[in-house]
Amino acid sequence: QKEVEQDPGPLSVPEGAIVSLNCTYSNSAFQYFMWYRQYSRKGPELLMYTYSSGNKEDGRFTAQVDKSSKYISLFIRDSQPSDSATYLCAMSLARDDKIIFGKGTRLHILP
Amino acid sequence: DAGVTQSPTHLIKTRGQQVTLRCSPKSGHDTVSWYQQALGQGPQFIFQYYEEEERQRGNFPDRFSGHQFPNYSSELNVNALLLGDSALYLCASSSTGGNEQFFGPGTRLTVL
């Protein structure tokens, strides 16, 4: 079993829809949870950073962490064509620790 | 603030050669981590440098080595290149005790 599982997609949704992306993980010791966005041939860009369980909202993005289920989610409201990218879930045991990434989900927002 | 910068952008090498990739961290950051991202995969942790020492290492062979300089910039060296070393190499920087790692644009290495 891989440490972090993420459906690679691709996921295609119409513009304006709510997008739901998620990951599961196996190591209950993970404390820090992140979502990165990566455009083609670019480096990952940090979108959301969450410590432990709970929700965090930033504009159109909401991150949820459920440590009891070992499940994290990213919701994108009012999706735009510019949101089309690969979304990587990531987690670490501690601050400054190595980051363990999922494979990434390719998202296409259709105009 | 220039953010994390990496050079070169692209590189083509042949099997058996050696390569050096460079990274300058974001201003104020003192910790540098290197990741390898194969096509269609998430980044894989190679190692992390802090105070010019390797602090953590992932599951990569000794052909992969690194260095951090007093100005916090870093190099990744790969010896005896294999076809499977073709990937995007990412550098990430962070500050001690900080929460977030910021990534550079990467160096795309192609091994022929």
Side-chain angles (χ1 to χ4, degrees), chain A residues 2 8 32 34 36 38 40-46 49 56 86 88 92 94-104, chain B residues 10 31 35 37 40-43 45 48 55-57 88 90 94-106 108:
Chain A
K2 296 196 71 146
Y32 295 86
M34 293 141 275
Y36 284 85
Q38 187 174 27
S40 182
R41 298 184 174 272
K42 302 289 186 183
E45 171 194 8
L46 181 64
Y49 185 100
K56 184 174 183 179
T86 295
L88 297 155
S92 64
R95 287 181 179 183
D96 260 356
D97 198 9
K98 64 181 180 182
I99 298 175
I100 308 299
F101 285 88
K103 290 182 68 170
Chain B
H10 297 92
T31 301
Y35 294 80
Q37 186 176 24
Q41 303 295 316
F45 176 77
Q48 184 182 82
R55 182 158 71 176
Q56 286 188 85
R57 188 178 184 91
L88 180 68
L90 296 161
S94 57
S95 58
T96 307
N99 292 331
E100 302 164 357
Q101 292 187 29
F102 293 87
F103 282 80
R108 185 161 299 280

Side-chain angles (χ1 to χ4, degrees), chain B residues 35-54:
Chain B
Y35 294 80
Q36 179 196 66
Q37 186 176 24
L39 199 62
Q41 303 295 316
Q44 298 286 316
F45 176 77
I46 302 174
F47 42 54
Q48 184 182 82
Y49 276 84
Y50 171 69
E51 291 190 340
E52 303 179 49
E53 296 287 333
E54 183 182 288

Side-chain angles (χ1 to χ4, degrees), chain A residues 18-25 30-35 47-58 60-77 88-91:
Chain A
I18 295 175
V19 175
S20 173
L21 305 169
N22 52 73
C23 289
T24 59
Y25 61 94
F30 284 132
Q31 295 283 352
Y32 295 86
F33 303 90
M34 293 141 275
W35 286 94
L47 280 178
M48 301 290 283
Y49 185 100
T50 309
Y51 170 69
S52 195
S53 282
N55 294 355
K56 184 174 183 179
E57 187 173 322
D58 184 0
R60 297 184 296 112
F61 299 91
T62 299
Q64 289 184 352
V65 176
D66 182 350
K67 291 191 70 179
S68 63
S69 302
K70 297 187 193 135
Y71 187 89
I72 69 172
S73 300
L74 177 71
F75 298 94
I76 307 174
R77 292 182 298 280
L88 297 155
C89 66
M91 44 204 78

